[in-house]
Amino acid sequence: MWRREPHRLALLELWGKGALRRRLGQADAFDELARLPWTRRTSRRDELELVEREAVERLLARSWPGWREAASALRARGLELDEHGWRQLGDLERQEGLPALPERLNRRTATAAVAPHSKAALTDARREALGDVGLTRDGIVRLRPSVGLRIEREGRRYDARELIGVLGELSLTERALSDGTRLAGTAPDALLLVENKGTFVDLDAPDGFLVAHVPGWDTATVRLLIAQLPGVPVLHFGDLDPNGVRIVRHLRELAPGLTWVVPEFWEEDVEARGLVRAWPADLDLSGEPALVQRLAAAGRWLEQEVLALDPRLREALEGLVGR
């Protein structure tokens, strides 16, 4: 067990500080040390104190040959001989080895440069080490353009529908929208956000609707899209399930006036097509559409794909924007 880094650091802390508190990530090391005669319990809860220093040194030497050098490196920088100090040391050493950075980096790339790995927390100290580097998530928003929509950038203009005649659909990246790519031409009657890919591709949307695929929580790019469409109604069409409720609430933070597309005829599918699934008891549905509340009471979920080919959906969408 002493080959694991958190456990070795527990040994180092016990040696360096003469005491060790029990922590979740080092619980096995604490429990093992508590059974050995090298330590004893203190009057404080879940704390050990060191009794035989030489025994801990021998164990450190076997499990971590470079432990003395590590202890010296921590002390040289005034860092604690514990897991937190060790993480700080790693951050400092990575910062000192940083190459020249560009003006902008993907958030994961930037995190990997200053943290142990790309999915580590980007703490304030790590973010500060990056200086003025701009961070992006580099999402892509897939679009089915409305009639008359244009895409413009640095004096160049493209008819969006002509582009999809070549590309199949239109995809705009976060960086493009941040760097000056703009929607122009005839404003859409509505922006329809669609949760699932199949429905996004297959639904029969009104010609005046700009349709965007927004899968779940990845909304950094669609936030930029919404900002370019002031005054355009925003609609969301997704699954009627607990996560669907949470997604709608998240999207309303971006577009407070967002309308949730829940046509009345969808109720026809509850018995035949509704999935038997429980809803969380602590999910507050007050103020949500009546069908959603009835589904929760009945323990049913509805997938949006059920309506993808229903010819009544187009008329229902038009009705939501007064057409």
Side-chain angles (χ1 to χ4, degrees):
M1 67 176 292
W2 300 112
R3 297 292 178 182
R4 290 190 57 202
E5 184 175 89
H7 296 164
R8 296 186 314 192
L9 290 166
L11 282 176
L12 183 65
E13 181 177 353
L14 179 62
W15 175 84
K17 297 182 176 180
L20 178 68
R21 298 297 304 274
R22 193 178 197 278
R23 304 183 186 91
L24 182 62
Q26 298 172 323
D28 290 344
F30 182 95
D31 293 342
E32 179 65 20
L33 288 167
R35 287 190 288 268
L36 296 172
W38 314 335
T39 66
R40 62 180 169 222
R41 298 271 184 173
T42 72
S43 59
R44 298 180 65 182
R45 182 181 178 184
D46 289 336
E47 183 180 71
L48 300 175
E49 66 178 355
L50 182 60
V51 175
E52 295 186 30
R53 188 180 183 85
E54 293 78 8
V56 174
E57 290 179 351
R58 289 194 297 270
L59 182 52
L60 277 167
R62 290 197 304 271
S63 61
W64 189 0
W67 74 274
R68 290 191 183 275
E69 290 79 3
S72 296
L74 288 165
R75 284 173 168 161
R77 294 177 181 265
L79 300 174
E80 295 289 335
L81 273 66
D82 57 18
E83 190 169 18
H84 180 65
W86 185 249
R87 302 287 175 255
Q88 288 181 296
L89 177 63
D91 284 355
L92 290 171
E93 290 176 343
R94 280 185 290 271
Q95 292 168 21
E96 291 167 357
L98 280 177
L101 298 176
E103 293 183 357
R104 181 167 52 188
L105 282 172
N106 178 274
R107 188 179 183 87
R108 289 287 177 84
T109 306
T111 301
V114 294
H117 53 81
S118 66
K119 296 180 179 62
L122 188 60
T123 62
D124 290 342
R126 290 168 178 169
R127 180 65 184 93
E128 186 177 350
L130 293 166
D132 295 330
V133 172
L135 301 184
T136 59
R137 296 185 183 277
D138 291 301
I140 295 175
V141 60
R142 298 173 61 180
L143 299 173
R144 291 174 51 189
S146 52
V147 170
L149 190 72
R150 292 200 312 270
I151 307 299
E152 297 185 354
R153 176 77 176 270
E154 297 175 349
R156 291 170 290 179
R157 297 176 176 82
Y158 305 92
D159 183 281
R161 290 227 169 176
E162 288 184 4
L163 287 175
I164 66 169
V166 177
L167 303 175
E169 65 183 38
L170 184 63
S171 296
L172 294 178
T173 67
E174 177 185 346
R175 296 196 186 200
L177 291 168
S178 296
D179 291 347
T181 297
R182 294 287 177 265
L183 305 182
T186 304
D189 296 327
L191 170 62
L192 175 63
L193 310 178
V194 180
E195 179 181 347
N196 297 324
K197 178 170 58 179
T199 306
F200 162 74
V201 172
D202 293 326
L203 72 83
D204 181 24
D207 290 340
F209 276 46
L210 172 60
V211 185
H213 182 220
V214 183
W217 312 104
D218 187 8
T219 57
T221 308
V222 79
R223 181 192 300 269
L224 299 174
L225 181 73
I226 291 172
Q228 291 200 26
L229 298 167
V232 173
V234 180
L235 285 59
H236 174 70
F237 182 39
D239 295 328
L240 301 187
D241 59 22
N243 205 42
V245 174
R246 298 183 186 103
I247 289 171
V248 167
R249 291 175 179 175
H250 173 66
L251 290 171
R252 281 182 175 146
E253 295 176 6
L254 311 182
L258 178 142
T259 298
W260 192 357
V261 180
V262 186
E264 292 182 1
F265 60 83
W266 204 348
E267 188 150 12
E268 299 170 8
D269 295 302
V270 173
E271 290 303 318
R273 309 294 295 276
L275 304 176
V276 180
R277 300 283 192 277
W279 288 66
D282 59 351
L283 183 61
D284 181 11
L285 298 176
S286 57
E288 300 300 354
L291 176 56
V292 173
Q293 297 186 40
R294 288 194 289 273
L295 286 169
R300 297 292 186 97
W301 296 6
L302 277 175
E303 298 176 314
Q304 68 173 147
E305 286 86 354
V306 173
L307 294 190
L309 302 180
D310 194 312
R312 295 172 293 178
L313 180 59
R314 182 187 180 101
E315 182 178 351
L317 292 170
E318 291 175 337
L320 289 173
V321 294
R323 290 189 57 192

